[in-house]
Amino acid sequence: MREQRQEPAEDAAISIRMLDIPASRVQDPRAQVYIVDHLKPGATISRRVEVQNTSGETQKIDFYSGAASVENNAFTVPEGRTGNELSGWIRLETSGIELDPGERRPVEVEIAVPRKASKGERYGAIWAQVTSAKERTGNITQIHRVGIRVYLDIGPGGEPPTDFRIDGLAAEPGPGEFPVITAKVTNTGERALDMTGTLSLTRAAVQAGPFKVTNGVTILPGQSGQVQIEVNQALPAGTWDVHAKLASGIVERTATGKISLPVAAPMVVANSAGPNWLVYAVGGIALSVLVTLAGWYLVRRQRTRLA
């Protein structure tokens, strides 16, 4: 059995991007990088993607469609070539091509929706993949694949609305030296959201930002998620006015609030008689969270990059 492992991003051999954008979505940033559409049962659309060999060697590239889902506020794809209902509707112009270094080529993608397809949004991906055995020792195969997300809504009539609200802003310690501003976003529309946006801070005559959203969050209709924005610069202590502008596609919403900086960092308190406790001290209130440490083992099987 051959083991598959992920390549570092800097060793990427190929890239993929959208070539065709529907006229009705030319202003939609999501449509510039994903296939996002609404179709009636029985309809068919065609799109073109462009694949480029970004390496210094000739590459044999496989093309295929695969499954995707939204889980825990993340657009999730399985390893391998697992399919779903949507991937079964996708037909690619070719299953493979060979590209010289620097060469690029368009590939047509056709999506044909069955007449009896049920209403609802489906998720999938279009993949370009390179497989190579680069290790001279061992039995290791390296797989690198790049993909384009597909968000396809099915149903009669016009496209369902996209909308959301921002329920609150808060500050908390970040993974490094800088704090993170979080915004709770609730999807009040009928299509999945991919959150982007910026945040600015103001205090007296001092302005900071804009800072960009730093985590990729996909939120299903009726659900909520936390959007994170790292304030990646040192700022004077005090109370700051916050102005957040968040978006999914062409839908934008804003929110304002106040935060206090600096944000208290977590302190680990040793306890020889039991497990460690993680303590946050904020505004004189101590919140203790039990931290359980457990061993874990992770095997990465392939390098996947999805736009």
Side-chain angles (χ1 to χ4, degrees):
M1 181 177 180
R2 300 179 71 87
E3 176 189 357
Q4 301 172 351
R5 80 176 186 186
Q6 292 198 353
E7 290 184 80
E10 59 269 20
D11 294 335
I14 51 177
S15 65
I16 189 170
R17 69 184 184 96
M18 292 293 303
L19 281 182
D20 295 335
I21 303 173
S24 60
R25 299 180 185 272
V26 70
Q27 301 299 324
D28 186 347
R30 294 176 77 210
Q32 297 175 17
V33 291
Y34 309 145
I35 295 178
V36 182
D37 222 319
H38 165 77
L39 296 178
K40 296 179 181 180
T44 298
I45 60 171
S46 294
R47 299 284 185 267
R48 290 181 307 153
V49 301
E50 182 184 78
V51 179
Q52 181 179 11
N53 179 359
T54 56
S55 74
E57 301 176 354
T58 298
Q59 300 287 352
K60 293 182 178 180
I61 303 169
D62 294 329
F63 294 104
Y64 60 95
S65 59
S69 59
V70 179
E71 301 174 12
N72 300 318
N73 295 325
F75 192 94
T76 304
V77 295
E79 291 187 357
R81 303 194 180 194
T82 302
N84 62 4
E85 184 182 32
L86 174 55
S87 69
W89 301 346
I90 298 174
R91 297 290 180 267
L92 303 177
E93 175 187 358
T94 179
S95 61
I97 57 175
E98 185 171 285
L99 295 181
D100 292 329
E103 187 179 2
R104 61 184 70 194
R105 188 174 302 175
V107 176
E108 186 172 347
V109 178
E110 181 182 274
I111 305 178
V113 181
R115 293 187 179 277
K116 295 184 179 181
S118 60
K119 181 179 179 181
E121 189 171 38
R122 275 85 163 172
Y123 312 104
I126 308 297
W127 293 109
Q129 177 175 301
V130 171
T131 304
S132 58
K134 293 187 176 180
E135 296 291 335
R136 298 185 181 277
T137 60
N139 198 25
I140 298 175
T141 297
Q142 294 183 340
I143 294 178
H144 172 73
R145 64 176 183 172
V146 292
I148 290 178
R149 303 183 188 190
V150 181
Y151 296 79
L152 187 65
D153 183 75
I154 305 301
E159 181 169 352
T162 295
D163 204 356
F164 65 91
R165 69 173 185 264
I166 305 172
D167 292 322
L169 300 170
E172 59 185 52
E177 61 178 308
F178 300 114
V180 169
I181 308 299
T182 63
K184 181 181 178 182
V185 173
T186 299
N187 187 340
T188 59
E190 299 179 23
R191 298 209 61 176
L193 305 171
D194 284 310
M195 301 309 303
T196 60
T198 60
L199 176 142
S200 299
L201 300 174
T202 305
R203 179 173 179 265
V206 180
Q207 293 185 343
F211 306 100
K212 293 183 178 181
V213 169
T214 49
N215 66 327
V217 179
T218 302
I219 306 174
L220 289 173
Q223 297 187 9
S224 298
Q226 291 286 346
V227 176
Q228 296 182 353
I229 302 170
E230 184 180 13
V231 180
N232 56 357
Q233 73 178 71
L235 297 175
T239 300
W240 290 77
D241 293 319
V242 183
H243 183 273
K245 180 188 291 184
L246 303 181
S248 178
I250 61 174
V251 179
E252 291 186 351
R253 298 290 180 264
T254 61
T256 59
K258 294 182 181 293
I259 63 166
S260 294
L261 297 178
V263 180
M267 300 175 291
V268 177
V269 180
N271 184 352
S272 60
N276 289 338
W277 290 79
L278 183 65
V279 179
Y280 285 91
V282 181
I285 301 175
L287 173 63
S288 300
V289 182
L290 177 64
V291 176
T292 302
L293 301 179
W296 59 279
Y297 181 69
L298 175 64
V299 177
R300 292 184 177 268
R301 297 178 60 82
Q302 61 188 17
R303 171 66 187 170
T304 295
R305 180 161 58 86
L306 188 61

